[in-house]
Amino acid sequence: MADEQTQSPKPPINLKKILSLLFAAVNLVVVLGGAYLVYSGTLGHKTPAALDEELNKEMVEFRKTLDEPAIMYNMDSFNTNLEGLPRRFVRVEMSVEMHNKEGFEELVTMGGQGRDAIMRILNGKHFDDIDSVQGKLKLKNDIIAYLNDNLKRGVVKNVYFTKFQVQ
């Protein structure tokens, strides 16, 4: 018994203090890890240096594509009725400007399908829709949008009306 009394009792373990220190250490590690990720993702990111020679070469190639003469496809005239009363008749001749020769060949082989679609677009218009300049521009945009949606390789740059008569 004397041994038991001479030994000093062990102080109780303070669990709150240990958990607080552990939480602070984990929190510090997480904050430093997040700061590193932000730094490496934004400020520490080094953009790859593009050589001036490569950029000049790409610019020259791009300018060559712009300098190529336009490839025009003159479509046969369209004669159709407009929607609405009184009955109106429209006669349209147009040229389609293509971006490249592949697109031109694709448009030529499209043939009747493209003409039919343009005819349906014209049939769906009222006289008031195409009477103004804005209406004609909208008609051009509708035709360009349809042709570009249906061409796989080609791109239509513009449509020019060479003759536009409404009776």
Side-chain angles (χ1 to χ4, degrees):
M1 270 216 230
D3 278 341
E4 292 177 10
Q5 288 179 354
T6 56
Q7 288 182 349
S8 63
K10 292 184 180 179
I13 298 175
N14 192 352
L15 191 58
K16 286 184 178 181
K17 193 178 234 183
I18 292 173
L19 289 177
S20 297
L21 290 174
L22 183 63
F23 177 73
V26 169
N27 194 14
L28 183 65
V29 168
V30 169
V31 167
L32 290 176
Y36 171 75
L37 290 176
V38 168
Y39 173 76
S40 65
T42 56
L43 298 174
H45 178 72
K46 294 180 182 175
T47 57
L51 298 175
D52 288 336
E53 296 168 3
E54 293 174 8
L55 293 175
N56 288 337
K57 184 178 178 181
E58 289 179 14
M59 185 63 77
V60 167
E61 290 174 14
F62 178 69
R63 286 187 178 156
K64 284 181 184 176
T65 60
L66 291 178
D67 292 339
E68 291 177 3
I71 300 168
M72 301 295 284
Y73 175 58
N74 296 322
M75 299 187 93
D76 294 333
S77 65
F78 294 90
N79 300 321
T80 186
N81 292 322
L82 293 176
E83 190 174 331
L85 292 176
R87 284 289 188 202
R88 300 274 186 161
F89 180 77
V90 65
R91 176 176 291 148
V92 177
E93 289 181 12
M94 68 178 78
S95 296
V96 179
E97 182 180 7
M98 301 300 295
H99 183 66
N100 56 20
K101 290 180 182 178
E102 289 178 0
F104 173 77
E105 292 170 1
E106 187 178 3
L107 182 63
V108 170
T109 58
M110 190 179 193
Q113 181 185 4
R115 285 188 57 80
D116 180 59
I118 294 171
M119 202 71 107
R120 279 187 277 127
I121 292 171
L122 287 169
N123 284 339
K125 299 291 182 183
H126 291 276
F127 174 71
D128 296 335
D129 295 339
I130 60 173
D131 187 34
S132 64
V133 173
Q134 290 86 3
K136 288 179 181 72
L137 291 174
K138 171 89 170 79
L139 177 63
K140 279 178 144 182
N141 289 337
D142 291 345
I143 293 170
I144 292 170
Y146 173 80
L147 291 174
N148 282 332
D149 286 344
N150 289 305
L151 293 174
K152 293 175 180 62
R153 297 172 297 169
V155 176
V156 175
K157 284 174 131 178
N158 205 348
V159 171
Y160 300 103
F161 294 125
T162 54
K163 184 185 239 183
F164 199 96
Q165 294 177 331
V166 179
Q167 294 178 346

